Amino acid sequence: MSIKIKFFSIFTIVFISFMSVIVYHEYEHITNSFVMEHQDKNDYIKKNANAFLNMLKKDISTKSDFIVNNKKITEAFYLNDRDKLYSLVNTYYEKQKQLNPYLKIMTFRSSDGSTFLRVHKPKMYGDKLNKKRKIIIDTNKYKKRHYGFEIGKLKMTYRVVTPIFHKNKHIGLIEIGIEPEYIIDKLKNTYLLEHALLVNKSNLSVNINNKKEIKYFDKFALIRGTEFFDTSISGIDINKNPNKFINYKNNFYILETGLNFYDHNKNIAAKLLFASKVENIVKRDKALIENILLLISLMIVLFIMLNIVINKFLKIQDEQLKIISKQSSKINTIFNGASNIIVLTDGEIISKANKAFFDFFDQYSNIEEFTKDYSCVCDKFEESEEEGYINGKYIEGEVWTRYILTHPEGIYKATIKKGDTQYHFLVKVQEIQYDNEILDVIDLSDITKEVEQRKEIEKQSKFIIDQTKMAALGEMISNIAHQWRQPLSVISTSASGMKIQSELKLLDDKILEDNCDLIVANSNHLSQTIDDFRDFIKGDKVKHHFNIKDIIDKSLNIIQASLKTHHIEQILTLEDIEIENFENELIQALNNIINNSKDALIELDSTEKLIFIKCYKDKEFVVIEIQDNAGGIPENIIEKIFEPYFTTKHQSQGTGLGLYMTHKIIHESMKGSIKVKNIEYEYNSCNYKGAMFKI
């Protein structure tokens, strides 16, 4: 019974609130319909106002054309004969003023903007407007007619300014001005309107109508209007058209604020506010009351019917609420129990976050506080130049969560700064339905430790690379020594032999020529050796097109002397294959493998010391195989040989970095692969066992 009372109490409150909203909307609907009916009238009035303005524009343009096309008038103006010009146009001006009493201004101005003749005030002339009056400046500048409202020496008028030419030479302009009352009075007399004229404050350079007090509203000033607006304008927002009723002296009026008067540059120079009287407001109120009474009756009947239905199913509702409550509690427990930060969002605005979110952003206690400062968790993401990091709300023009969902193959990360610490997160997004709404679940896993460990590993790798370079440099120096030993010996022997033969008078021209040729040949060999080592050491990190066979020859040339010294035979089976990759890095990798085979073969107690190098195509790959007959690698360590610092040699002979760097070069730089295995094979009717590296 307690639950039932509470339920019906809540239902009654909801019912009353709902009915209030419906009644309010019904009131708004009827009122808006009524307003729209009268707004149509105001729109018609605005159309007529613009029509009056267009008629005025054509009429004044015709009057201007009559003057500028009169040769006597333009000649008097050209000759600066003010009296003659006045005598020629005054009669025409007076006649036009009788036809249109709102015509107040007819002024001739020189090309510099100075007043030559005011027909309406002939004694006032000589003042310059070349820096103040934009319509005057632009007409003289562009030498074409301009139209628009503008405030002059006296007050605002609608002006038509036309350039004057005499014998195709621009000599000035004529300005004809009509008071805005021309339009205001036409509208007022036709439609019985209340009106007010508001002028843009930026145009108030003179005291309009000599009023001591001017009311200002936003960017506009009320310069004249009926008593209706003097008393009501303080409650009007002139930047909007509220379409609301205004009660004035027991009558209702509908307001219009959208009739603008523009200057010649299409900027709003003034606003004409007007209000038309509403005649049938009682009809509106009667319709409103009838609709409200009908709505209340229907709502009461509905309440009775719902009461009967709810009484029958209250028990079922209660059981369902218990089940839903239990499920909701379970979901919240799981949601808040997650160690990762979990956020529900549409990609731009957060709707829900778990406990881990507020543990991290501990300055906020709820989602409302967070969304006062940030709408999206991505607003907290720091800028990062590393690949895969999210830097803002959009990725390639798409909302970031949508982008991740449509590109699930990527790995996405983000950094968030808390205090002085930079935290790294792995970002995952999944789409779910929550509260009848499709939302994105954002999962932020803290990977700060992993990132820091990776950076430490990269730092160590750099150290390893530096060590490898030093080891490689020592190996190269040793190889240079091997390469140079024989040529230097030949050069030394040839030189000392020629000296002895010369002393014994046995040196003839042929012996001299043969020995010189031998010295030159060996010197060239020394020079070529230097070039090969220089090219290898230079190590440009730029991809080149090169032939695999040439690279293998270069690699062998670097260590050839050492191989010959230890009687190691090379058996080559090479195809001509062109690729684009890092030439020097491949040479370094090959040298590391061949040097390891050489070291193993040196320790071999055999006269047959063999290294086989084979190069061929396999579909879209180039394959290089290097094998020896040194007996192979022990099976218990073969899986470890590519690890850093792993070596089977004495510490004075190896660093354990050669094969590690080879693996790193092939996999990371050259985007290839390298494997090693022990094989048994037959060569020249002899059986051998050794290690085979396959790149």
Side-chain angles (χ1 to χ4, degrees):
M1 184 57 66
S2 174
I3 294 172
K4 183 177 178 180
I5 291 170
K6 290 179 181 178
F7 178 81
F8 275 105
S9 297
I10 295 170
F11 184 82
T12 301
I13 294 170
V14 173
F15 174 80
I16 293 171
S17 301
F18 180 71
M19 190 175 71
S20 299
V21 171
I22 294 297
V23 169
Y24 171 75
H25 281 287
E26 185 65 16
Y27 169 81
E28 286 291 307
H29 173 71
I30 293 173
T31 302
N32 287 338
S33 298
F34 193 74
V35 168
M36 291 303 295
E37 179 182 334
H38 288 79
Q39 188 63 41
D40 290 340
K41 177 183 176 182
N42 283 358
D43 290 341
Y44 182 73
I45 293 171
K46 286 198 295 183
K47 288 180 181 179
N48 277 353
N50 289 321
F52 292 152
L53 186 59
N54 284 330
M55 290 170 58
L56 179 63
K57 176 181 175 182
K58 291 179 181 179
D59 181 54
I60 301 304
S61 297
T62 302
K63 291 176 173 54
S64 299
D65 289 339
F66 172 80
I67 293 172
V68 300
N69 292 325
N70 189 306
K71 293 183 179 179
K72 290 182 180 181
I73 293 174
T74 58
E75 185 173 6
F77 188 23
Y78 175 72
L79 296 174
N80 294 326
D81 193 338
R82 186 176 290 103
D83 293 336
K84 185 176 180 180
L85 180 60
Y86 180 70
S87 66
L88 289 171
V89 298
N90 182 51
T91 303
Y92 181 73
Y93 168 72
E94 293 296 335
K95 182 179 178 181
Q96 295 304 320
K97 191 173 179 183
Q98 288 177 4
L99 294 173
N100 186 349
Y102 298 97
L103 193 151
K104 295 296 182 183
I105 295 171
M106 183 179 287
T107 305
F108 288 83
R109 301 188 186 278
S110 301
S111 58
D112 63 355
S114 62
T115 306
F116 181 73
L117 173 64
R118 284 187 174 89
V119 182
H120 52 287
K121 288 188 178 181
K123 294 182 179 180
M124 293 178 61
Y125 59 86
D127 51 304
K128 287 191 175 183
L129 298 175
N130 56 340
K131 293 184 179 179
K132 296 181 180 179
R133 298 275 302 286
K134 294 180 181 178
I135 194 169
I136 302 300
I137 296 167
D138 288 349
T139 303
N140 277 328
K141 180 179 179 181
Y142 299 108
K143 299 176 180 57
K144 67 177 184 178
R145 181 176 289 156
H146 287 84
Y147 315 86
F149 285 87
E150 192 168 82
I151 292 181
K153 193 76 174 176
L154 301 175
K155 57 182 177 180
M156 170 165 280
T157 55
Y158 178 72
R159 299 171 189 266
V160 177
V161 185
T162 307
I164 300 175
F165 297 87
H166 180 71
K167 295 181 179 180
N168 296 326
K169 180 181 180 182
H170 177 244
I171 59 174
L173 55 84
I174 181 170
E175 177 184 9
I176 299 178
I178 309 295
E179 289 184 323
E181 276 73 16
Y182 171 82
I183 296 173
I184 295 170
D185 290 348
K186 277 183 177 292
L187 296 177
K188 181 178 68 174
N189 295 334
T190 306
Y191 301 105
L192 301 175
L193 302 176
E194 301 289 344
H195 68 278
L197 183 63
L198 276 67
V199 175
N200 195 311
K201 285 195 297 188
S202 62
N203 295 324
L204 290 180
S205 58
V206 296
N207 185 7
I208 300 174
N209 285 346
N210 297 318
K211 291 181 71 172
K212 293 182 178 180
E213 293 184 5
I214 297 177
K215 293 182 179 179
Y216 292 97
F217 301 93
D218 194 20
K219 297 179 181 179
F220 295 90
L222 175 64
I223 62 171
R224 52 187 177 274
T226 60
E227 182 185 347
F228 171 88
F229 279 99
D230 278 337
T231 57
S232 305
I233 198 165
S234 60
I236 296 173
D237 185 351
I238 63 172
N239 293 315
K240 298 180 181 178
N241 193 354
N243 291 334
K244 68 177 182 178
F245 296 115
I246 297 177
N247 192 337
Y248 175 67
K249 293 185 177 179
N250 298 322
N251 288 309
F252 285 91
Y253 292 81
I254 192 79
L255 177 66
E256 175 60 53
T257 64
L259 182 52
N260 298 324
F261 289 162
Y262 297 93
D263 64 14
H264 72 291
N265 284 324
K266 306 301 181 185
N267 300 314
I268 297 176
K271 279 181 172 287
L272 180 61
L273 276 56
F274 64 85
S276 56
K277 190 175 180 180
V278 178
E279 301 293 344
N280 51 351
I281 195 74
V282 175
K283 178 183 175 182
R284 189 284 309 259
D285 292 341
K286 183 179 179 182
L288 184 62
I289 292 170
E290 288 176 354
N291 283 7
I292 291 173
L293 289 174
L294 178 61
L295 183 62
I296 291 173
S297 300
L298 290 173
M299 294 298 286
I300 291 172
V301 172
L302 180 62
F303 181 83
I304 294 170
M305 293 175 64
L306 287 174
N307 185 45
I308 294 171
V309 173
I310 290 170
N311 278 331
K312 288 183 178 181
F313 291 99
L314 184 60
K315 185 176 180 180
I316 297 173
Q317 293 282 343
D318 183 55
E319 291 175 355
Q320 289 178 341
L321 286 172
K322 288 180 180 178
I323 294 170
I324 291 170
S325 177
K326 186 176 180 180
Q327 290 176 341
S328 177
S329 176
K330 185 177 180 180
I331 291 170
N332 282 329
T333 300
I334 296 171
F335 185 66
N336 288 313
S339 59
N340 293 347
I341 293 175
I342 299 176
V343 176
L344 298 184
T345 178
D346 61 358
E348 296 185 1
I349 300 175
I350 296 176
S351 59
K352 190 176 178 66
N354 69 342
K355 182 176 179 294
F357 178 91
F358 296 107
D359 288 342
F360 186 82
F361 299 107
D362 49 17
Q363 67 270 41
Y364 302 103
S365 58
N366 55 60
I367 207 67
E368 287 76 18
E369 290 181 5
F370 183 85
T371 52
K372 285 180 181 178
D373 296 331
Y374 308 98
S375 62
C376 174
V377 69
C378 62
D379 294 336
K380 296 290 291 181
F381 293 170
E382 297 286 321
E383 290 284 338
S384 176
E385 295 181 358
E386 292 188 48
E387 185 179 356
Y389 277 79
I390 303 166
N391 291 323
K393 191 171 288 186
Y394 299 97
I395 303 175
E396 296 182 4
E398 191 175 3
V399 174
W400 68 282
T401 52
R402 294 288 94 196
Y403 182 87
I404 292 175
L405 288 169
T406 54
H407 299 77
E409 70 281 357
I411 297 175
Y412 304 94
K413 292 171 280 187
T415 58
I416 302 176
K417 195 170 185 180
K418 182 179 180 182
D420 295 329
T421 305
Q422 197 89 359
Y423 289 87
H424 296 259
F425 293 91
L426 182 66
V427 182
K428 296 180 181 178
V429 180
Q430 185 176 355
E431 193 174 71
I432 65 164
Q433 184 170 346
Y434 179 79
D435 282 352
N436 297 320
E437 184 180 4
I438 301 299
L439 291 177
D440 299 329
V441 180
I442 301 171
D443 185 316
L444 302 178
S445 304
D446 190 346
I447 56 169
T448 305
K449 289 183 179 179
E450 291 87 336
V451 170
E452 290 176 350
Q453 288 172 355
R454 177 176 58 80
K455 289 181 178 179
E456 182 62 29
I457 290 171
E458 289 175 354
K459 184 178 177 182
Q460 292 177 0
S461 295
K462 185 178 181 302
F463 176 72
I464 289 171
I465 291 169
D466 291 340
Q467 283 188 305
T468 306
K469 288 180 179 177
M470 294 303 295
L473 185 61
E475 186 74 28
M476 287 177 202
I477 293 171
S478 174
N479 286 326
I480 290 173
H482 278 291
Q483 290 281 65
W484 279 17
R485 185 171 288 115
Q486 182 178 354
L488 288 173
S489 176
V490 170
I491 292 170
S492 175
T493 301
S494 297
S496 60
M498 283 191 295
K499 183 178 180 182
I500 293 171
Q501 287 172 327
S502 176
E503 290 174 354
L504 297 175
K505 308 296 183 179
L506 298 175
L507 182 64
D508 58 23
D509 291 342
K510 186 174 187 320
I511 294 172
L512 177 64
E513 184 178 349
D514 290 343
N515 279 284
C516 287
D517 289 342
L518 189 61
I519 290 171
V520 170
N522 280 274
S523 297
N524 289 336
H525 179 67
L526 293 176
S527 178
Q528 183 61 45
T529 302
I530 287 294
D531 289 341
D532 289 344
F533 277 97
R534 181 194 61 201
D535 291 341
F536 173 65
I537 293 170
K538 184 169 60 176
D540 292 337
K541 190 68 174 176
V542 178
K543 287 186 176 182
H544 297 287
H545 282 282
F546 58 85
N547 190 297
I548 292 288
K549 182 179 178 182
D550 293 341
I551 294 307
I552 293 174
D553 288 342
K554 281 188 178 182
S555 177
L556 289 171
N557 190 44
I558 291 173
I559 57 177
Q560 189 63 250
S562 179
L563 295 175
K564 285 183 178 180
T565 300
H566 297 289
H567 310 291
I568 297 172
E569 182 183 357
Q570 305 114 57
I571 299 93
L572 308 180
T573 308
L574 308 177
E575 294 182 12
D576 284 323
I577 305 171
E578 292 281 342
I579 68 167
E580 183 182 13
N581 217 307
F582 298 110
E583 179 179 341
N584 287 316
E585 296 205 1
L586 180 57
I587 292 174
Q588 182 180 350
L590 294 174
N591 280 356
N592 287 339
I593 296 172
I594 295 170
N595 275 324
N596 271 275
S597 292
K598 179 197 74 175
D599 293 341
L601 289 168
I602 290 172
E603 297 178 4
L604 186 67
D605 187 16
S606 172
T607 56
E608 286 280 18
K609 299 178 181 179
L610 308 173
I611 293 178
F612 298 85
I613 302 176
K614 186 177 181 182
C615 171
Y616 60 91
K617 289 182 182 178
D618 182 11
K619 297 180 181 178
E620 71 270 31
F621 295 99
V622 177
V623 180
I624 301 172
E625 294 179 354
I626 303 171
Q627 67 186 60
D628 56 37
N629 66 333
I633 302 169
E635 293 296 335
N636 63 327
I637 65 168
I638 196 168
E639 298 295 332
K640 301 179 181 180
I641 64 170
F642 293 121
E643 295 177 4
Y645 299 110
F646 181 81
T647 180
T648 58
K649 304 173 185 177
H650 188 272
Q651 63 180 4
S652 63
Q653 293 180 303
T655 62
L657 296 175
L659 290 179
Y660 166 72
M661 287 305 302
T662 298
H663 187 275
K664 192 175 182 68
I665 288 169
I666 298 300
H667 276 263
E668 296 182 12
S669 292
M670 306 191 75
K671 306 301 179 186
S673 66
I674 181 169
K675 296 179 181 178
V676 63
K677 65 179 179 179
N678 292 321
I679 61 169
E680 294 182 4
Y681 60 94
E682 183 180 336
Y683 178 70
N684 288 342
S685 301
C686 294
N687 294 323
Y688 298 106
K689 181 179 180 181
M692 185 180 78
F693 289 83
K694 186 174 183 179
I695 301 172

